Amino acid sequence: MVRGIVRITLASLALLSSAHAQTADPASFVNPFIGTGAVDTNSLSGSNFPGACTPFGFVQLSPDTRESPSDPASGYDYNDHSIFGFSHTHLSGTGVADLFDILCMPYTGEVVWEPGQYKSDFTHDAEKASPGYYSVLLKTWNTKVELTATTHVGLQRYTFPTGTRGHVIIDLDHSLDKKRFYWPCRIISAQVRVVNDHTIEGYRIITGWSRLRKVFFRAEFSQPFVSDALLEGGKVMEAGTVVNGTRVKAVLDFNASKDQPVLVKVGLSSVSREGAERNLETELPGWDFDATVADARAAWNKELSCISVDGTEEQKRIFYTGLYHAFTQPNNLADADGAYVGTDFTTRKAADGTHYSTFSLWDTYRAAHPLYTLVQPERDAAFINSMLRQYETYGYLPIWQLWGDETYCMIGNHAIPVIVDAYMKHLPGIDYAKAYAAIRASSVVEHPGAPFRLLDQYHFFPENKQSQSVSLTLEVAFDDWCVAQMANAMGKTEDYKYFMDRAGSYRNLYDADTRFFRGRNADGNWVSPFDPLTYGGNGGAPYTEGNAWQYCWYVPQDVPGLIRLLGGASSFTDKLDTFFTLQAKPADVNGNASGFIGQDAHGNEPSHHTPYLYDYAGQPWKTQLYTARIMQELYNDKSSGYAGNEDCGQMSSWYIFSAMGFYPVNPASSVYCFGSPQLRKAVIRLANGGRFTVLAPKAGGKNIYIQAVRLNGSPYHKTYITHKDILSGGTLEFDMGPAPNKKWGTAPEDAPAGSAY
């Protein structure tokens, strides 16, 4: 008996040791190549980059495989075979491109200036990436390039072949495609200045998706350059000291040797040249490349250890790479001393030392920000404080903010649910009086994307007066519901009544004859002809990046009301069944629509909550079926890892939640609906010091159906769990099997009612 106890104890210790080893280095499961290139080049795969960065860092140092990047927006496509250089800023997973600042490229031979001349072939066999590190052999130049980063500094190590003259070009003209993109991109002004034989500095001012960006840099080299040449347009200045213009480049020459690699560290600032120099001195005063790699990996391990999981090796790679992508942005624009440029282009100081941007809110409000409230609550508060700074200078909250500039991309104002979610979850560190003023103003102040006077006049947005009218009406109705909840909690009765009334405006676009939300004009007539399969893009149609099928389900604030509108639970689930099985794909499918299961297009955000809606209508086993199918068929651990643009952490956050077994259908309700857990175990490390453990030891493969649930050892029949339950700590256990249990979770009282307030 004693020996048996010892054996069990040793086995338990072995499991604990194994779990600890996994937790200690979760970065080992991250594959930065996931989401960098589709197998079918006509498909979307993520639009992620594989280069070096730190969590939420300003610098994303990565290779660009296109001379003038536009698609994919990350600048890197796994299917390409050439590298044009390594630029210091990138977007992760977005549908449109920008940034690509301060490109550096080593090469050998004659001095050349054009991208087609200094580009190099490469192969994936000679390419590696891990959190905080990237390396590749440039075949054309037989030169090895290694990259790492701190928050504001990129560090590169070039190993040239011995006996050659090594060159490094710094190209300030490299940008997104200046001729073929949605908006004009051009360099307004740029400068390179030679400080000494180890140092250059400069800036560029550029317009593109972000209307005006100032990028300052200081580059220091580990050994002196023996000569330099500066270029503006077609004019070369040998041994120049400064060059100004709009097509500025510099070439620096080095005596190459395999035994003495050339290192260059580049500090960036969005504020000033002095800021770039200060960031460089503060974050990377030395030249220890390997130590910098280790520090970056340690920073990633610290952040990634917020959740420890047990599953298959593939599941762990998808999961931790998803966390990695979710923590790649928003990016801290503030310098090391807290200085940042406001939306009014004045220099300001952030008291907490951070000012974040890259807010892809139309995507990330759905799951990424709710994930942050669980595992990054202090950071989410800092994100919100950064959003509030836009309100202070701009008059309303961010819609899609890039480099501190409002781009007006997408519809609605989904900073609102992010703030309301934080308020209802009691995240500290936020001035909620100011926050309420901001969300209220953002719901009534007219701006190019939201003519609220039309909503007040017609109680919907008429298509003949406002394009994307159906999507805009539905999404603003959700935002209004969020404002109403915060108003009610703060005792603002009149505001509560006003915004709750507007939150019901979605009903005014419901056509009982077709059983879809349809566009209608100011005279009240429906927009005709109508085909629910017809897609809209980003203007010129009633639907935004979707069709009537996909927007039929967008009432996350009132799913019970939507069920009644569609004729009751049976009628609702019948229509959902058709949605998930109707295979028709007309020729005008928008490029953002991908990852189809029937009409559910998981590759784009309007469909993300839809498979969970069966939980509300007494058929939770169908939620389990479709969420498992999406995870098993539409995510993988290869370059084609996503079914659509990853969108700054949203696609990843959907998987992170869903693999653990739950998802926030209404991302401002503090309610998480159950799906089909795929991981055997997940432990969430809570900010309050507690732990919330999810166990599903039989999960995976064909065991996609919930047989029973226990919360802290007691039988649990509800098809949801609340944020409060999670923060209380404890253990949620799923018993999984290959056949649906149609008795579990099917009673009306088991369904999520829509709110936990």
Side-chain angles (χ1 to χ4, degrees), residues 192-212:
V192 170
R193 183 183 298 273
V194 178
V195 178
N196 54 48
D197 64 359
H198 283 76
T199 307
I200 66 170
E201 62 186 20
Y203 65 86
R204 77 169 178 178
I205 303 172
I206 183 172
T207 183
W209 184 11
S210 176
R211 293 165 299 176
L212 184 68

Side-chain angles (χ1 to χ4, degrees), residues 573 576-581 597 600 602 610-615 619-634 654 658 661 674-678 700-707 736-742 744:
T573 54
L576 266 179
D577 291 345
T578 303
F579 175 72
F580 280 103
T581 55
I597 296 177
D600 184 85
H602 185 73
T610 312
Y612 285 91
L613 295 180
Y614 286 106
D615 280 348
Q619 296 185 1
W621 66 90
K622 291 181 180 176
T623 284
Q624 296 152 34
L625 168 67
Y626 287 116
T627 55
R629 185 175 171 187
I630 290 168
M631 283 182 277
Q632 293 181 7
E633 295 181 9
L634 300 181
W654 188 95
S658 296
F674 287 157
S676 177
Q678 297 294 293
K702 295 181 180 180
N703 291 331
I704 64 174
Y705 294 105
I706 295 174
Q707 307 301 301
M736 306 299 294
N741 177 0
K742 297 184 179 181
W744 178 84

Side-chain angles (χ1 to χ4, degrees), residues 12 61 105 129 144 250 265 282 290 293 302 309 350 353 490 503 539 581 646 665 708 734 747:
S12 301
L61 181 54
M105 180 65 172
K144 183 177 182 180
K265 51 186 178 182
T282 301
D290 295 333
V293 172
K302 179 182 178 183
V309 302
M490 299 179 81
T581 55
E646 201 274 335
V665 168
F734 292 96

